[in-house]
Amino acid sequence: MTTSDTTFLPAPTPFGVASFLAREHGLYIGGRWRPSESGQTLESTNPATGRPLSTLASGTPADVDAAVTAARAALADPAWRDITPLQRGELLHRLAELVEANAEDLAFIESLDNGKPVAVARAVDVGTTAKLFRYFAGWPSKFEGATIPLSPRNGLRILNYTVHEPIGVVGAIVPWNFPMSMAAWKLAPALAMGNAVVLKPAEETSLSTLRLAELVEQAGFPPGVVNVVTGAGSVVGAAIAAHPGVDKVAFTGSTETGRAVTRAALGNMKKVSLELGGKSPHIVFPDADPVAVAAAASDGIFFNQGQTCTAGSRLYVHSDIYDDVMSALVDHARRIVVGPGQDPATQMGPLVSARQLATVRSYVESGLDQGAFLATGGSRPGGLGEENANGYFLEPTVLAETTHAMRVVQEEIFGPVLVAMRWTEIDDLVDKANDSPYGLAAGLWTNNLTQAHRVAAAIKAGTVWINCFNMTDPASPFGGYKQSGWGREMGRGVLEQYTETKSVWVNLT
Ligand code: NAD
């Protein structure tokens, strides 16, 4: 069934993508594609044009129920339950290979659905997804229990050992900023540890996850091990979070929704892990090179249209070099090419939705109302052409002379808006950097190693980058202090969050 007008797709769109978009997409439950139980659909939009891109099923609580039942059946299916750890690893390797083999299609789908440049989707979204599956493919055969040297008690000799078992059904709820890789952050460790998953992508950007589900099937995962239910957060997401058959919910999204998910999870006391919002300080010391650091600060915020949970959205520059950094930063921001993500020249695409654009614009207004100075940006970029007249574009924006009481400094904007402040005294700087409900990440630029390590130790954030920014790796733990989350994703530590540990006591006497 043709559901999108593919004549509006930009010229270099791969053929496979056009035919994928033209299909009406169902829910993936128990290894089958099927419509929503209500028959309702929702439309995905191309944010560069505002036009419909593809049609997908709008799931209901009954669909979530069916997906949970399928996941429970998969956990009991010998085809999943009884395969060896090495075989589980092989399935994940095969999935990584399929992601790599389909990289171009996946990158275009992500770019058309989310707005980001194809080059970013290719390198970051698709690249990270493949790397995650490969990294976690190695763990099933290596995540060992322990033998614990207990002293004899009451004259009995005891052997005590631990084993790691799957938690069961994992409900994974993910946002729209890095749609497929956020899904992979949860799928990879969950599958490596032998769980079954009910996955809900964001309603704005479900397409790459649906394509990924096809690859999961092609890789040979048994039916029901991975289920995808698309639809509204308040319906499908809420049903997953509350479902008594879900043993753990792994959520990435806003802090506000994270609270709702946690409350809903209380019913059956399911395990909860949360990756939430951020308002990360990006700190420049007086010895930094103003031009190099301005480029880094610009990339730190404008990468992915500012829609990055770790975006370096609060810039603190030492007053000695503030003017030099700000003039280089404004120059850098003005040179960023804004346009549709499929144009190879584009460096920054549109925001994900009309709603997100309106939110971000209202933050800019609020900053100006509260006395900030518009150093650059704030408007719709010129020269976009008729085709993109209704796209959700905003110029890279810098608000200077901001103060801590302003909403633009306190709240997560989640768009291409940087707030800049001067600092002079280091203790005051650290207090201000920590004066946030969030604690996801921070960046520091200095050659003074003593200062760098002192400040890194004092900052309350899950990740601190020194002379680099926005780097992640499947082997390195990622997560937030304070209201930025519960638990860590990636690295060895995340495996604990996808397993139950059983302590077994044996009387050897
Ligand atoms: P969001 O909280 O609005 O939505 C996230 C997901 O939750 C979506 O799939 C949505 O449909 C679903 N949802 C909405 N209401 C729900 C409910 N009541 N119950 C269950 N699920 C529900 O967030 P967003 O706007 O999609 O994403 C932006 C936010 O995500 C930002 O705050 C950003 O910082 C955060 N984020 C954090 C990380 C991290 O790793 N810490 C990574 C990416 C994004």
Side-chain angles (χ1 to χ4, degrees), residues 174 176-177 200 203 233 237 251-254 257 275-277 309 412:
V174 299
W176 43 255
N177 61 340
K200 189 208 116 43
E203 44 274 56
F251 173 80
T252 298
S254 63
T257 311
E275 293 291 350
L276 306 175
C309 51
E412 183 184 45

Side-chain angles (χ1 to χ4, degrees), residues 117-174:
V118 171
V120 171
R122 192 184 287 127
V124 180
D125 297 73
V126 180
T128 301
T129 299
K131 255 200 259 174
L132 271 154
F133 290 133
R134 279 204 194 290
Y135 173 79
F136 283 101
W139 274 119
S141 56
K142 298 175 193 69
F143 190 50
E144 298 152 340
T147 52
I148 314 210
L150 297 184
S151 308
R153 54 192 58 209
N154 307 331
L156 302 180
R157 277 195 307 124
I158 298 289
L159 166 65
N160 181 221
Y161 64 91
T162 60
V163 286
H164 299 296
E165 295 176 353
I167 289 188
V169 177
V170 173
I173 304 174
V174 299

Side-chain angles (χ1 to χ4, degrees), residues 300-344:
I301 179 73
F302 300 127
F303 164 65
N304 211 44
Q305 298 71 245
Q307 302 166 146
T308 307
C309 51
T310 52
S313 50
R314 288 185 288 152
L315 181 66
Y316 296 90
V317 185
H318 192 275
S319 28
D320 285 359
I321 60 165
Y322 180 87
D323 291 340
D324 292 345
V325 170
M326 288 305 285
S327 95
L329 173 64
V330 165
D331 185 47
H332 199 274
R334 286 188 181 148
R335 279 188 283 112
I336 291 174
V337 180
V338 182
Q342 303 74 47
D343 181 339

Side-chain angles (χ1 to χ4, degrees), residues 13-269:
T13 304
F15 173 72
V17 173
S19 61
F20 173 78
L21 296 175
R23 297 208 301 266
E24 184 170 312
H25 302 281
L27 310 171
Y28 184 58
I29 297 177
R32 293 230 166 91
W33 292 92
R34 48 181 253 192
S36 153
E37 169 263 354
S38 68
Q40 288 189 344
T41 57
L42 62 90
E43 214 136 68
S44 208
T45 305
N46 177 349
T49 61
R51 286 202 191 94
L53 188 62
S54 202
T55 302
L56 40 133
S58 184
T60 65
D63 294 315
V64 170
D65 207 38
V68 173
T69 302
R72 293 229 84 84
L75 288 170
D77 180 355
W80 182 237
R81 186 192 60 199
D82 296 343
I83 62 170
T84 65
L86 276 179
Q87 286 170 324
R88 242 186 285 139
E90 276 163 22
L91 284 170
L92 283 162
H93 272 304
R94 215 172 298 151
L95 184 54
E97 276 159 25
L98 285 166
V99 168
E100 282 159 356
N102 290 277
E104 211 48 27
D105 282 13
L106 288 166
F108 261 83
I109 291 169
E110 204 73 302
S111 168
L112 284 162
D113 207 15
N114 165 282
K116 65 182 71 197
V118 171
V120 171
R122 192 184 287 127
V124 180
D125 297 73
V126 180
T128 301
T129 299
K131 255 200 259 174
L132 271 154
F133 290 133
R134 279 204 194 290
Y135 173 79
F136 283 101
W139 274 119
S141 56
K142 298 175 193 69
F143 190 50
E144 298 152 340
T147 52
I148 314 210
L150 297 184
S151 308
R153 54 192 58 209
N154 307 331
L156 302 180
R157 277 195 307 124
I158 298 289
L159 166 65
N160 181 221
Y161 64 91
T162 60
V163 286
H164 299 296
E165 295 176 353
I167 289 188
V169 177
V170 173
I173 304 174
V174 299
W176 43 255
N177 61 340
F178 293 96
M180 188 174 56
S181 59
M182 288 294 105
W185 278 29
K186 293 167 178 22
L187 275 179
L191 298 177
M193 295 297 103
N195 298 282
V197 181
V198 176
L199 172 61
K200 189 208 116 43
E203 44 274 56
E204 295 86 348
T205 56
S206 299
L207 295 173
S208 57
T209 304
L210 293 167
R211 182 73 187 103
L212 184 65
E214 294 178 350
L215 301 181
V216 164
E217 188 172 354
Q218 209 179 322
F221 284 88
V225 170
V226 176
N227 307 276
V228 181
V229 184
T230 50
S234 57
V235 178
V236 175
I240 291 173
H243 200 290
V246 173
D247 302 292
K248 174 203 165 80
V249 63
F251 173 80
T252 298
S254 63
T255 298
E256 197 189 333
T257 311
R259 273 195 199 97
V261 165
T262 306
R263 275 192 295 269
L266 282 174
N268 67 333
M269 297 298 285

